[in-house]
Amino acid sequence: MTACDGEKNIFSSVQLPTGQFRVDLPDVEQGNNRSYMFTIKEVNRLKLSNLEDYLYGTISSIPRDILHGMDLVIKENPSRNRITVGRSFYSKTYRKEDDLGYGIAAYRGFQQSLKPTFQGLALIIEFLKQNVWGFRGVDVMNLMPQVSRALEGLEVHVTHCRTKQKYTVLRLTKEITHDLDFPFEDVEAQAPPRRIRVVDYFRERYGIEILHQHIPCLDLGKHGKINYATMEFCILVEGQIYPKEKLDNNVAKLLKTISLAPPNERKHTITEMVQANHGPFGDVTENFKMGVINKNMTAVDGRVVGAQT
């Protein structure tokens, strides 16, 4: 599969043949074939590792050539299978209730664009927008109690260093990142202890600049140890259990409604989950042979079937 920008550039995940090639295309009007010569030459090889380094914060320059190529790649499939209007993609079918009459119908579609961002900040900021009423993205200090209540106790990964360790947000720092410092002892350099600003520490240790210096840091320390991390270098751990007591009344009522689904809807949901590719019937043959059967499971016709839902 290749992705083309509609002009001269083709992007591919594998090396394409280079040189001159001849292609014959039928001429419908003349009733014969017409021959064309075209040339393929390699212009550039994009190093995706540069994008990874940017996301981890080890380089500050945006790899725009990679983002341009990836933007075309993610648009290739919808452009082939949907109606393209400018930057928007619309389904080729519409529902009966969307028929407006007079040959007019409302089509449902979407726009997509690839934009560089420190995903940790974007993700946490978006999370706060959904959980803190009135939060607009930069007014952390004005809504400290609400922001702290939303973030404290959540687990995060850090992106400024390569680790899969999970950290729990203990609290937000009282100072903004620009003014925050901590005692630092460089054991490797055998230098005397000193106080260092968080901004300077990230610059010296990881070679990265903190962009959002006027918001607090997350305090990830435990057992009395100091461990400050900026929001832009943290991402929320997937699959966390969100405490029900933190939900507002409207969301809590919605959750209750979803939980008390009628029998026919519950049956349909269970059937879908059981028969899905990633469900119990997806790939259980090998587990059955190995005897990996839960005490709440029953073996039926060589398949492991749940006895409770």
Side-chain angles (χ1 to χ4, degrees):
M1 296 292 292
T2 60
C4 179
D5 64 357
E7 298 181 1
K8 293 183 178 181
N9 298 312
I10 298 176
F11 294 84
S12 172
S13 60
V14 298
Q15 185 172 356
L16 298 177
T18 57
Q20 282 194 333
F21 301 88
R22 173 179 170 176
V23 61
D24 296 326
L25 296 178
D27 189 330
V28 178
E29 295 183 358
Q30 299 295 331
N32 54 17
N33 292 339
R34 300 187 64 177
S35 297
Y36 297 88
M37 297 294 297
F38 69 95
T39 303
I40 297 179
K41 63 179 179 179
E42 184 179 82
V43 178
N44 190 15
R45 293 192 179 188
L46 305 179
K47 296 181 179 179
L48 293 180
S49 59
N50 291 343
L51 179 60
E52 183 179 19
D53 291 339
Y54 173 74
L55 293 176
Y56 274 106
T58 55
I59 61 173
S60 57
S61 59
I62 301 174
R64 299 188 183 279
D65 53 349
I66 298 176
L67 294 176
H68 173 61
M70 293 184 66
D71 188 44
L72 290 175
V73 168
I74 64 175
K75 289 180 178 178
E76 183 69 19
N77 190 54
S79 65
R80 289 175 181 267
N81 298 288
R82 289 177 172 266
I83 301 172
T84 304
V85 181
R87 295 188 303 156
S88 302
F89 301 95
Y90 296 91
S91 173
K92 294 182 179 180
T93 61
Y94 64 92
R95 305 183 308 180
K96 291 183 178 180
E97 54 265 36
D98 293 335
D99 191 339
L100 306 180
Y102 307 99
I104 303 173
Y107 283 76
R108 299 170 184 267
F110 61 88
Q111 290 184 351
Q112 66 181 48
S113 61
L114 193 65
K115 298 180 180 179
T117 176
F118 286 100
Q119 63 184 55
L121 179 68
L123 180 59
I124 290 181
I125 293 298
E126 289 302 316
F127 173 77
L128 292 175
K129 286 180 180 178
Q130 296 181 30
N131 285 274
V132 177
W133 186 86
F135 184 83
R136 295 183 298 274
V138 294
D139 44 1
V140 177
M141 300 302 294
N142 296 330
L143 297 169
M144 276 290 285
Q146 297 91 322
V147 172
S148 297
R149 186 164 55 250
L151 293 179
E152 288 177 4
L154 295 182
E155 292 183 333
V156 297
H157 288 303
V158 297
T159 61
H160 58 273
C161 59
R162 299 178 184 272
T163 177
K164 294 183 179 181
Q165 184 175 350
K166 299 177 183 179
Y167 299 90
T168 301
V169 179
L170 186 64
R171 64 178 68 89
L172 267 66
T173 59
K174 296 180 180 180
E175 300 87 354
I176 61 174
T177 303
H178 180 271
D179 300 333
L180 190 62
D181 64 3
F182 63 96
F184 175 68
E185 183 177 357
D186 192 346
V187 180
E188 297 179 358
Q190 297 182 351
R194 60 189 173 102
R195 296 198 68 85
I196 184 173
R197 293 195 311 151
V198 170
V199 174
D200 297 329
Y201 174 78
F202 274 83
R203 183 184 301 117
E204 295 176 12
R205 180 67 181 271
Y206 302 106
I208 52 181
E209 293 289 338
I210 297 176
L211 300 181
H212 304 274
Q213 300 185 15
H214 292 85
I215 60 176
C217 281
L218 302 179
D219 187 351
L220 309 179
K222 59 181 180 179
H223 307 304
K225 295 183 178 179
I226 295 177
N227 185 7
Y228 298 140
T230 64
M231 291 188 190
E232 64 193 78
F233 300 135
C234 292
I235 58 176
L236 294 172
V237 174
E238 185 181 17
Q240 299 183 62
I241 298 177
Y242 192 80
K244 289 189 292 185
E245 56 270 15
K246 287 188 176 183
L247 300 175
D248 61 39
N249 292 334
N250 292 332
V251 179
K253 290 180 181 178
L254 177 60
L255 178 61
K256 185 176 181 179
T257 302
I258 295 173
S259 302
L260 300 177
N264 59 336
E265 183 178 329
R266 184 179 293 273
K267 177 184 176 182
H268 177 71
T269 301
I270 294 174
T271 302
E272 277 192 336
M273 289 189 295
V274 171
Q275 296 180 349
N277 289 334
H278 56 275
F281 285 5
D283 184 16
V284 299
T285 306
E286 193 64 28
N287 287 341
F288 178 72
K289 291 179 180 178
M290 296 173 59
V292 184
I293 300 179
N294 188 282
K295 65 179 181 179
N296 292 324
M297 297 286 188
T298 304
V300 180
D301 297 331
R303 293 178 175 176
V304 179
V305 181
Q308 58 178 203
T309 56

